[in-house]
Amino acid sequence: MATMADVARSAGVSVATVSHVLNGTRPVLSHTRQAVLNAVDALGYTPNTLARSLVTSRTRSIGLAVSAISNPYFTEILQGVEAAALEAGYSLLIADPHDDPVHERKVVQLLHERRVDGMIVAPSADPHDLVAYLSRHSVPTVFLDRVLPSGDPAAGTPHLDQPGPEQNRSEQAGPDQETGPGPARLGQEAGLDQTGFDQAVFDQVCAENSGPTARLVTHLAGLGHRRIGLVAGLSGLSTTTERIVGYRQALAAAGLVRDEDLVVSGNSEAAGAERATAALLSLPVPPTALVTANNAMTIGALRALRRQGLAVPDDIALCCFDDFAWADLFSPRLTAIAQPSREIGAQAVQVLLDRLATPDRPARTVRLPCTFVHRTSCGCPEDRDGAAGPPPAGPGRKTEPTALSEKGTAS
């Protein structure tokens, strides 16, 4: 088996130069670097990763803690993380926290004990113990998809009760002010003791949430809908909060009445969304259009609509946050917001590598834009090329609210 000394002799350089080329610890002239790499290839030299990690205190490995890896959205993020890590010469250790704060804390500790150089984590709705551990051990970390609360108690967090019709709480919508992620610190709005957190610095990478959600609601309002329901995600997640903010902003901009009974929690999963959608349909005046806040909840909502015998979009229009590979195979094809999943994963790796290279730089939050994918579940007709076109002229489909009979048909 070839050694580093063999590579040095073949390339005509010192062992130290070979080490600098392989470990990136010092700039080397391009022709010298190429000579070393040619010798490595010719001799089939394989670096001793364990020995190198003992010298450099780096393992060139990244820990990834992401829940619901079976979800196509997170699967694509994983692909982006893996490709970017591999290109940079890093291996990947993966764990699923299952969106459970206790399990989250355990798997992050296990990854840390494997001496990963840094972590990429999609935090749970209650990341107190997670952040406390990462802060205490100064683990370089990038938060993925979900961001930490801003720490501004005045910002407020939309609260969702479990789905179920309650008394009417309709009110004229006012202009909501979206609060961005702010400094990457846990704040008082999460009920946390600030001690030990003020100096914690975490980078964050996520998609835009409020604006794209508002885009869906604005589109439905433009089609004539006045009662638009939102099947929101798990309370406590920043994605849930921001998408509710976008929903409310769009209602206000369209001059629509904001009825809190039209916002229900699907807990970010299919079964919860099926129950939440059934609750919306049981309201005395149900919505004529729905927005679902992730792909799993879209499946649950469609199941509930099928159980009620309702057709999309003839009986109720549907738009969803998260596009997925088979969204255009549904009939009708789903109008959706597509997130740049792989780019989110790749950006998270790059931001983490930047943090490892410059540990003291200020924290940053990277937000990537989403794409509005216009199909036909919103009620727009399909043109000859298979794309959704503008709504038909004339009165079109009735969008004023009507009561539903016990069979779920308009009466």
Side-chain angles (χ1 to χ4, degrees):
M1 180 179 293
T3 65
M4 189 177 291
D6 295 331
V7 172
R9 281 192 294 270
S10 177
V13 298
S14 68
V15 171
T17 298
V18 174
S19 176
H20 289 313
V21 170
L22 297 180
N23 296 317
T25 50
R26 195 185 71 184
V28 177
L29 293 174
S30 59
H31 69 274
T32 302
R33 181 176 183 277
Q34 191 58 51
V36 170
L37 295 178
N38 290 342
V40 167
D41 289 339
L43 297 173
Y45 172 70
T46 301
N48 187 327
T49 304
L50 178 60
R52 184 170 64 186
S53 69
L54 293 174
V55 174
T56 64
S57 298
R58 293 283 182 89
T59 60
R60 297 194 72 81
S61 62
I62 294 172
L64 176 66
V66 177
S67 293
I69 291 175
S70 61
N71 185 316
Y73 168 67
F74 281 113
T75 301
E76 290 188 5
I77 284 181
L78 170 59
Q79 292 170 349
V81 170
E82 183 180 39
L86 182 62
E87 184 177 353
Y90 281 75
S91 60
L92 199 61
L93 279 69
I94 306 171
D96 188 340
H98 301 295
D99 268 335
D100 175 74
V102 175
H103 191 62
E104 173 181 69
R105 163 68 172 74
K106 289 180 180 178
V107 299
V108 165
Q109 180 175 347
L110 288 174
L111 289 173
H112 184 222
E113 290 173 352
R114 294 292 299 271
R115 299 188 63 191
V116 295
D117 293 340
M119 293 194 201
I120 298 173
V121 182
S124 69
D126 181 12
H128 181 284
D129 290 342
L130 166 70
V131 175
Y133 181 88
L134 295 172
S135 301
R136 183 165 62 251
H137 294 281
S138 300
V139 181
T141 302
V142 175
F143 287 115
L144 178 79
D145 182 61
R146 306 151 178 179
V147 298
L148 298 184
S150 66
D152 178 7
T157 301
H159 175 72
L160 294 178
D161 297 319
Q162 291 302 310
E166 302 174 13
Q167 70 275 19
N168 192 322
R169 297 188 300 276
S170 299
E171 59 178 318
Q172 182 64 39
D176 288 287
Q177 296 297 321
E178 179 182 4
T179 57
R185 298 168 183 163
L186 276 174
Q188 297 173 359
E189 69 181 74
L192 302 177
D193 180 0
Q194 290 285 289
T195 304
F197 288 80
D198 288 340
Q199 301 304 315
V201 176
F202 299 101
D203 299 298
Q204 309 184 107
V205 177
C206 60
E208 294 286 353
N209 287 295
S210 298
T213 305
R215 177 73 175 86
L216 295 177
V217 176
T218 299
H219 180 65
L220 291 170
L223 295 176
H225 294 280
R226 294 296 174 263
R227 287 182 62 77
I228 302 170
L230 174 66
V231 182
L234 183 66
S235 292
L237 297 179
S238 65
T239 49
T240 298
T241 301
E242 292 173 3
R243 289 169 195 176
I244 293 173
V245 167
Y247 167 83
R248 290 175 174 172
Q249 287 177 332
L251 292 181
L256 298 181
V257 170
R258 194 174 92 190
D259 183 351
E260 293 300 328
D261 284 335
L262 292 177
V263 181
V264 290
S265 174
N267 291 325
S268 297
E269 44 94 19
E274 186 173 355
R275 293 189 296 269
T277 302
L280 286 174
L281 297 176
S282 70
L283 290 171
V285 184
T288 63
L290 286 180
V291 172
T292 52
N294 78 3
N295 53 14
M297 292 191 292
T298 299
I299 301 299
L302 287 170
R303 287 175 181 164
L305 295 174
R306 183 181 62 185
R307 285 180 180 274
Q308 292 281 351
L310 298 176
V312 177
D314 294 334
D315 297 316
I316 186 167
L318 176 67
C319 292
C320 52
F321 203 108
D322 278 342
D323 198 21
F324 42 97
W326 56 91
D328 64 346
L329 300 179
F330 282 85
S331 181
R333 297 159 62 239
L334 298 178
T335 295
I337 292 296
Q339 299 192 72
S341 308
R342 295 194 185 194
E343 187 178 354
I344 290 172
Q347 281 283 335
V349 172
Q350 186 57 58
V351 171
L352 179 60
L353 296 180
D354 291 346
R355 170 63 56 194
L356 294 174
T358 314
D360 296 329
R361 67 171 177 77
R364 59 174 166 154
T365 294
V366 178
R367 285 186 178 267
L368 300 175
C370 296
T371 303
F372 176 71
V373 184
H374 191 192
R375 299 191 181 105
T376 56
S377 64
C378 55
C380 293
E382 191 169 81
D383 63 22
R384 292 181 180 178
D385 297 326
R397 182 169 59 87
K398 184 177 181 180
T399 55
E400 291 302 316
T402 58
L404 295 181
S405 69
E406 292 182 0
K407 294 183 179 180
T409 56
S411 58

